[in-house]
Amino acid sequence: MELARVTEAAAMAAGRWVGKGDKNAADGAAVNAMRKLINTVSMRGVVVIGEGEKDHAPMLFNGEEVGDGTGPECDVAVDPIDGTTLTGKGQPNALAVIAVADRHSMYDPSAVFYMDKLVAGPEAADVVDITAPVAENIRAVARAKRREPADITVVVLDRPRHDGLVAEIREAGARIKFISDGDVAGAIMATRPGTGVDLLLGVGGTPEGIISACAIKCLGGVIQGRLWPKDDAERQRALDAGHDLNRVLLTDDLVSGENCFVAITGITDGELVRGVHYISGGATTQSLVMRSKSGTVRMIDSEHRLDKLRQYSAVAFH
């Protein structure tokens, strides 16, 4: 519940900016709210995956100490808004996300911001291989789910770099669900039943890959990834940091151990959770809260009275 309060605060702060076309203002509001609430959580946390260098963030940066200074030592991964553009445009599946795991258990990508990823649910976890041809993976997922390739839906970030991938998926006969942003949501969709998505393929953010790995630890399934430097300078930084760019990173490589906690609150409505809805004098939120050790997945529907929040919260809710 402590983690859910953190993502609820970020989602409600961002919710006022939905559809207003200012994704930076939305992100700033979410970061500020998340940072204030995260310091009430009983942990001695260190931000391992934060807003970081990629977003030039002054808060929730990599290495920042968070929590109230009591409790266990933890690695913390945050994404105050997974899908800032989605928020600015009022489009589906914008989320506020936090993941917590044992200290020193999360992978350090060393400023390699992108990763080629494959994500599949529990039924197909043992039969997919990111090094195999796309059509082979689609057929493997179809067999594992007792379906035909034409019944399989692959979620893909809508980017020019994926033109070849899209052609291969279509040639294999599968369907595609394009997303413009938010590949944490896409990864969870590929592992959670009832979303209509069976597989995620393509290049997305490395930080989002590590957060997704924490969720997959809780939900079952698999994530496989390979670092994807976007240019020669980033490639050299990766090599200097000791990364093997041909290595396939598995779920346990991205987050080791079996004690992950993940909280997700919707900012806009989507396949996973509802977004922030406003009611007279308050707001409602929906959150997905998961723990890997117990395998528990909770859906939390909350009603928030803004007069109470203004009186007692560190966040200025309007």
Side-chain angles (χ1 to χ4, degrees), residues 114-138:
Y114 294 97
M115 174 187 287
D116 188 19
K117 305 175 197 173
L118 177 154
V119 178
E123 305 97 325
D126 296 329
V127 298
V128 290
D129 180 356
I130 195 171
T131 66
V134 168
E136 191 173 309
N137 279 313
I138 289 170

PDB file of all heavy atoms in Angstrom, residues 114-138:
ATOM      1  N   TYR A 114      18.652   2.076 -24.894  1.00  0.00           N
ATOM      2  CA  TYR A 114      17.705   1.267 -25.659  1.00  0.00           C
ATOM      3  C   TYR A 114      18.101  -0.205 -25.651  1.00  0.00           C
ATOM      4  O   TYR A 114      19.270  -0.556 -25.551  1.00  0.00           O
ATOM      5  CB  TYR A 114      17.601   1.781 -27.100  1.00  0.00           C
ATOM      6  CG  TYR A 114      16.992   3.157 -27.169  1.00  0.00           C
ATOM      7  CD1 TYR A 114      17.800   4.294 -27.245  1.00  0.00           C
ATOM      8  CD2 TYR A 114      15.611   3.339 -27.117  1.00  0.00           C
ATOM      9  CE1 TYR A 114      17.245   5.570 -27.278  1.00  0.00           C
ATOM     10  CE2 TYR A 114      15.047   4.606 -27.151  1.00  0.00           C
ATOM     11  CZ  TYR A 114      15.871   5.710 -27.231  1.00  0.00           C
ATOM     12  OH  TYR A 114      15.312   6.962 -27.243  1.00  0.00           O
ATOM     13  N   MET A 115      17.081  -1.039 -25.783  1.00  0.00           N
ATOM     14  CA  MET A 115      17.254  -2.476 -25.722  1.00  0.00           C
ATOM     15  C   MET A 115      16.269  -3.142 -26.675  1.00  0.00           C
ATOM     16  O   MET A 115      15.093  -2.753 -26.747  1.00  0.00           O
ATOM     17  CB  MET A 115      16.982  -2.958 -24.286  1.00  0.00           C
ATOM     18  CG  MET A 115      16.993  -4.453 -24.079  1.00  0.00           C
ATOM     19  SD  MET A 115      16.458  -4.885 -22.394  1.00  0.00           S
ATOM     20  CE  MET A 115      17.899  -4.359 -21.468  1.00  0.00           C
ATOM     21  N   ASP A 116      16.754  -4.112 -27.432  1.00  0.00           N
ATOM     22  CA  ASP A 116      15.875  -4.946 -28.250  1.00  0.00           C
ATOM     23  C   ASP A 116      15.238  -5.974 -27.319  1.00  0.00           C
ATOM     24  O   ASP A 116      15.941  -6.650 -26.567  1.00  0.00           O
ATOM     25  CB  ASP A 116      16.694  -5.648 -29.336  1.00  0.00           C
ATOM     26  CG  ASP A 116      15.821  -6.378 -30.343  1.00  0.00           C
ATOM     27  OD1 ASP A 116      14.619  -6.068 -30.421  1.00  0.00           O
ATOM     28  OD2 ASP A 116      16.357  -7.261 -31.041  1.00  0.00           O
ATOM     29  N   LYS A 117      13.908  -6.074 -27.331  1.00  0.00           N
ATOM     30  CA  LYS A 117      13.203  -6.872 -26.325  1.00  0.00           C
ATOM     31  C   LYS A 117      12.262  -7.885 -26.940  1.00  0.00           C
ATOM     32  O   LYS A 117      11.690  -7.663 -28.031  1.00  0.00           O
ATOM     33  CB  LYS A 117      12.359  -5.970 -25.407  1.00  0.00           C
ATOM     34  CG  LYS A 117      13.096  -4.856 -24.724  1.00  0.00           C
ATOM     35  CD  LYS A 117      12.120  -3.971 -23.961  1.00  0.00           C
ATOM     36  CE  LYS A 117      12.734  -2.639 -23.615  1.00  0.00           C
ATOM     37  NZ  LYS A 117      11.764  -1.706 -23.028  1.00  0.00           N
ATOM     38  N   LEU A 118      12.087  -8.955 -26.217  1.00  0.00           N
ATOM     39  CA  LEU A 118      11.026  -9.926 -26.462  1.00  0.00           C
ATOM     40  C   LEU A 118      10.384 -10.209 -25.115  1.00  0.00           C
ATOM     41  O   LEU A 118      11.080 -10.497 -24.141  1.00  0.00           O
ATOM     42  CB  LEU A 118      11.582 -11.217 -27.069  1.00  0.00           C
ATOM     43  CG  LEU A 118      10.596 -12.365 -27.332  1.00  0.00           C
ATOM     44  CD1 LEU A 118      11.100 -13.258 -28.472  1.00  0.00           C
ATOM     45  CD2 LEU A 118      10.361 -13.228 -26.096  1.00  0.00           C
ATOM     46  N   VAL A 119       9.056 -10.121 -25.053  1.00  0.00           N
ATOM     47  CA  VAL A 119       8.317 -10.434 -23.822  1.00  0.00           C
ATOM     48  C   VAL A 119       7.171 -11.376 -24.180  1.00  0.00           C
ATOM     49  O   VAL A 119       6.437 -11.140 -25.139  1.00  0.00           O
ATOM     50  CB  VAL A 119       7.747  -9.163 -23.155  1.00  0.00           C
ATOM     51  CG1 VAL A 119       6.933  -9.537 -21.911  1.00  0.00           C
ATOM     52  CG2 VAL A 119       8.862  -8.198 -22.791  1.00  0.00           C
ATOM     53  N   ALA A 120       7.065 -12.444 -23.390  1.00  0.00           N
ATOM     54  CA  ALA A 120       5.972 -13.407 -23.576  1.00  0.00           C
ATOM     55  C   ALA A 120       5.450 -13.839 -22.213  1.00  0.00           C
ATOM     56  O   ALA A 120       6.154 -13.747 -21.204  1.00  0.00           O
ATOM     57  CB  ALA A 120       6.444 -14.624 -24.368  1.00  0.00           C
ATOM     58  N   GLY A 121       4.215 -14.316 -22.192  1.00  0.00           N
ATOM     59  CA  GLY A 121       3.573 -14.738 -20.955  1.00  0.00           C
ATOM     60  C   GLY A 121       4.009 -16.113 -20.489  1.00  0.00           C
ATOM     61  O   GLY A 121       4.827 -16.779 -21.135  1.00  0.00           O
ATOM     62  N   PRO A 122       3.456 -16.572 -19.373  1.00  0.00           N
ATOM     63  CA  PRO A 122       3.891 -17.837 -18.763  1.00  0.00           C
ATOM     64  C   PRO A 122       3.774 -19.049 -19.681  1.00  0.00           C
ATOM     65  O   PRO A 122       4.641 -19.932 -19.656  1.00  0.00           O
ATOM     66  CB  PRO A 122       2.966 -17.979 -17.546  1.00  0.00           C
ATOM     67  CG  PRO A 122       2.519 -16.592 -17.231  1.00  0.00           C
ATOM     68  CD  PRO A 122       2.450 -15.875 -18.541  1.00  0.00           C
ATOM     69  N   GLU A 123       2.730 -19.106 -20.505  1.00  0.00           N
ATOM     70  CA  GLU A 123       2.529 -20.286 -21.357  1.00  0.00           C
ATOM     71  C   GLU A 123       3.667 -20.479 -22.357  1.00  0.00           C
ATOM     72  O   GLU A 123       4.017 -21.600 -22.712  1.00  0.00           O
ATOM     73  CB  GLU A 123       1.200 -20.185 -22.132  1.00  0.00           C
ATOM     74  CG  GLU A 123      -0.031 -19.958 -21.272  1.00  0.00           C
ATOM     75  CD  GLU A 123      -0.409 -18.492 -21.209  1.00  0.00           C
ATOM     76  OE1 GLU A 123       0.501 -17.629 -21.208  1.00  0.00           O
ATOM     77  OE2 GLU A 123      -1.626 -18.217 -21.164  1.00  0.00           O
ATOM     78  N   ALA A 124       4.232 -19.359 -22.817  1.00  0.00           N
ATOM     79  CA  ALA A 124       5.242 -19.424 -23.886  1.00  0.00           C
ATOM     80  C   ALA A 124       6.653 -19.097 -23.395  1.00  0.00           C
ATOM     81  O   ALA A 124       7.577 -18.994 -24.202  1.00  0.00           O
ATOM     82  CB  ALA A 124       4.855 -18.471 -25.019  1.00  0.00           C
ATOM     83  N   ALA A 125       6.832 -18.955 -22.086  1.00  0.00           N
ATOM     84  CA  ALA A 125       8.117 -18.490 -21.551  1.00  0.00           C
ATOM     85  C   ALA A 125       9.280 -19.391 -21.934  1.00  0.00           C
ATOM     86  O   ALA A 125      10.404 -18.915 -22.125  1.00  0.00           O
ATOM     87  CB  ALA A 125       8.026 -18.374 -20.034  1.00  0.00           C
ATOM     88  N   ASP A 126       9.027 -20.690 -22.061  1.00  0.00           N
ATOM     89  CA  ASP A 126      10.117 -21.639 -22.308  1.00  0.00           C
ATOM     90  C   ASP A 126      10.347 -21.938 -23.785  1.00  0.00           C
ATOM     91  O   ASP A 126      11.235 -22.735 -24.116  1.00  0.00           O
ATOM     92  CB  ASP A 126       9.834 -22.958 -21.570  1.00  0.00           C
ATOM     93  CG  ASP A 126       9.822 -22.777 -20.056  1.00  0.00           C
ATOM     94  OD1 ASP A 126      10.553 -21.895 -19.569  1.00  0.00           O
ATOM     95  OD2 ASP A 126       9.065 -23.499 -19.380  1.00  0.00           O
ATOM     96  N   VAL A 127       9.568 -21.318 -24.668  1.00  0.00           N
ATOM     97  CA  VAL A 127       9.665 -21.697 -26.088  1.00  0.00           C
ATOM     98  C   VAL A 127      10.086 -20.546 -26.994  1.00  0.00           C
ATOM     99  O   VAL A 127      10.266 -20.752 -28.193  1.00  0.00           O
ATOM    100  CB  VAL A 127       8.328 -22.292 -26.589  1.00  0.00           C
ATOM    101  CG1 VAL A 127       7.982 -23.555 -25.817  1.00  0.00           C
ATOM    102  CG2 VAL A 127       7.194 -21.278 -26.503  1.00  0.00           C
ATOM    103  N   VAL A 128      10.260 -19.347 -26.438  1.00  0.00           N
ATOM    104  CA  VAL A 128      10.643 -18.199 -27.265  1.00  0.00           C
ATOM    105  C   VAL A 128      12.143 -17.953 -27.163  1.00  0.00           C
ATOM    106  O   VAL A 128      12.792 -18.338 -26.195  1.00  0.00           O
ATOM    107  CB  VAL A 128       9.868 -16.923 -26.855  1.00  0.00           C
ATOM    108  CG1 VAL A 128       8.398 -17.046 -27.242  1.00  0.00           C
ATOM    109  CG2 VAL A 128      10.024 -16.639 -25.363  1.00  0.00           C
ATOM    110  N   ASP A 129      12.677 -17.292 -28.182  1.00  0.00           N
ATOM    111  CA  ASP A 129      14.120 -17.036 -28.243  1.00  0.00           C
ATOM    112  C   ASP A 129      14.337 -15.783 -29.086  1.00  0.00           C
ATOM    113  O   ASP A 129      14.027 -15.773 -30.289  1.00  0.00           O
ATOM    114  CB  ASP A 129      14.838 -18.235 -28.854  1.00  0.00           C
ATOM    115  CG  ASP A 129      16.349 -18.048 -28.946  1.00  0.00           C
ATOM    116  OD1 ASP A 129      16.837 -16.948 -28.610  1.00  0.00           O
ATOM    117  OD2 ASP A 129      17.029 -19.002 -29.369  1.00  0.00           O
ATOM    118  N   ILE A 130      14.861 -14.728 -28.481  1.00  0.00           N
ATOM    119  CA  ILE A 130      15.023 -13.455 -29.180  1.00  0.00           C
ATOM    120  C   ILE A 130      15.987 -13.565 -30.359  1.00  0.00           C
ATOM    121  O   ILE A 130      15.934 -12.766 -31.294  1.00  0.00           O
ATOM    122  CB  ILE A 130      15.489 -12.351 -28.200  1.00  0.00           C
ATOM    123  CG1 ILE A 130      15.304 -10.959 -28.823  1.00  0.00           C
ATOM    124  CG2 ILE A 130      16.920 -12.583 -27.739  1.00  0.00           C
ATOM    125  CD1 ILE A 130      15.526  -9.814 -27.852  1.00  0.00           C
ATOM    126  N   THR A 131      16.866 -14.585 -30.357  1.00  0.00           N
ATOM    127  CA  THR A 131      17.811 -14.762 -31.467  1.00  0.00           C
ATOM    128  C   THR A 131      17.198 -15.527 -32.635  1.00  0.00           C
ATOM    129  O   THR A 131      17.808 -15.627 -33.703  1.00  0.00           O
ATOM    130  CB  THR A 131      19.077 -15.495 -30.993  1.00  0.00           C
ATOM    131  OG1 THR A 131      18.744 -16.836 -30.612  1.00  0.00           O
ATOM    132  CG2 THR A 131      19.718 -14.780 -29.817  1.00  0.00           C
ATOM    133  N   ALA A 132      15.999 -16.090 -32.436  1.00  0.00           N
ATOM    134  CA  ALA A 132      15.336 -16.860 -33.498  1.00  0.00           C
ATOM    135  C   ALA A 132      14.573 -15.917 -34.432  1.00  0.00           C
ATOM    136  O   ALA A 132      14.264 -14.777 -34.075  1.00  0.00           O
ATOM    137  CB  ALA A 132      14.372 -17.873 -32.887  1.00  0.00           C
ATOM    138  N   PRO A 133      14.257 -16.374 -35.641  1.00  0.00           N
ATOM    139  CA  PRO A 133      13.453 -15.549 -36.547  1.00  0.00           C
ATOM    140  C   PRO A 133      12.096 -15.201 -35.937  1.00  0.00           C
ATOM    141  O   PRO A 133      11.539 -15.965 -35.141  1.00  0.00           O
ATOM    142  CB  PRO A 133      13.291 -16.442 -37.783  1.00  0.00           C
ATOM    143  CG  PRO A 133      14.445 -17.390 -37.721  1.00  0.00           C
ATOM    144  CD  PRO A 133      14.693 -17.635 -36.269  1.00  0.00           C
ATOM    145  N   VAL A 134      11.573 -14.048 -36.319  1.00  0.00           N
ATOM    146  CA  VAL A 134      10.288 -13.574 -35.798  1.00  0.00           C
ATOM    147  C   VAL A 134       9.185 -14.602 -36.034  1.00  0.00           C
ATOM    148  O   VAL A 134       8.399 -14.916 -35.133  1.00  0.00           O
ATOM    149  CB  VAL A 134       9.926 -12.219 -36.440  1.00  0.00           C
ATOM    150  CG1 VAL A 134       8.482 -11.841 -36.142  1.00  0.00           C
ATOM    151  CG2 VAL A 134      10.881 -11.135 -35.958  1.00  0.00           C
ATOM    152  N   ALA A 135       9.118 -15.154 -37.238  1.00  0.00           N
ATOM    153  CA  ALA A 135       8.055 -16.110 -37.568  1.00  0.00           C
ATOM    154  C   ALA A 135       8.130 -17.344 -36.684  1.00  0.00           C
ATOM    155  O   ALA A 135       7.094 -17.902 -36.276  1.00  0.00           O
ATOM    156  CB  ALA A 135       8.149 -16.513 -39.036  1.00  0.00           C
ATOM    157  N   GLU A 136       9.356 -17.763 -36.364  1.00  0.00           N
ATOM    158  CA  GLU A 136       9.518 -18.938 -35.498  1.00  0.00           C
ATOM    159  C   GLU A 136       8.980 -18.670 -34.096  1.00  0.00           C
ATOM    160  O   GLU A 136       8.327 -19.529 -33.491  1.00  0.00           O
ATOM    161  CB  GLU A 136      10.999 -19.309 -35.443  1.00  0.00           C
ATOM    162  CG  GLU A 136      11.288 -20.643 -34.794  1.00  0.00           C
ATOM    163  CD  GLU A 136      12.755 -21.008 -34.922  1.00  0.00           C
ATOM    164  OE1 GLU A 136      13.289 -20.951 -36.051  1.00  0.00           O
ATOM    165  OE2 GLU A 136      13.368 -21.340 -33.873  1.00  0.00           O
ATOM    166  N   ASN A 137       9.233 -17.494 -33.574  1.00  0.00           N
ATOM    167  CA  ASN A 137       8.706 -17.144 -32.252  1.00  0.00           C
ATOM    168  C   ASN A 137       7.183 -17.045 -32.259  1.00  0.00           C
ATOM    169  O   ASN A 137       6.522 -17.480 -31.313  1.00  0.00           O
ATOM    170  CB  ASN A 137       9.320 -15.826 -31.766  1.00  0.00           C
ATOM    171  CG  ASN A 137      10.698 -16.015 -31.175  1.00  0.00           C
ATOM    172  OD1 ASN A 137      10.913 -16.913 -30.362  1.00  0.00           O
ATOM    173  ND2 ASN A 137      11.641 -15.170 -31.570  1.00  0.00           N
ATOM    174  N   ILE A 138       6.640 -16.491 -33.315  1.00  0.00           N
ATOM    175  CA  ILE A 138       5.179 -16.389 -33.400  1.00  0.00           C
ATOM    176  C   ILE A 138       4.551 -17.778 -33.450  1.00  0.00           C
ATOM    177  O   ILE A 138       3.559 -18.057 -32.768  1.00  0.00           O
ATOM    178  CB  ILE A 138       4.780 -15.531 -34.614  1.00  0.00           C
ATOM    179  CG1 ILE A 138       5.129 -14.059 -34.335  1.00  0.00           C
ATOM    180  CG2 ILE A 138       3.286 -15.681 -34.934  1.00  0.00           C
ATOM    181  CD1 ILE A 138       5.006 -13.149 -35.528  1.00  0.00           C
TER     182      ILE A 138
END
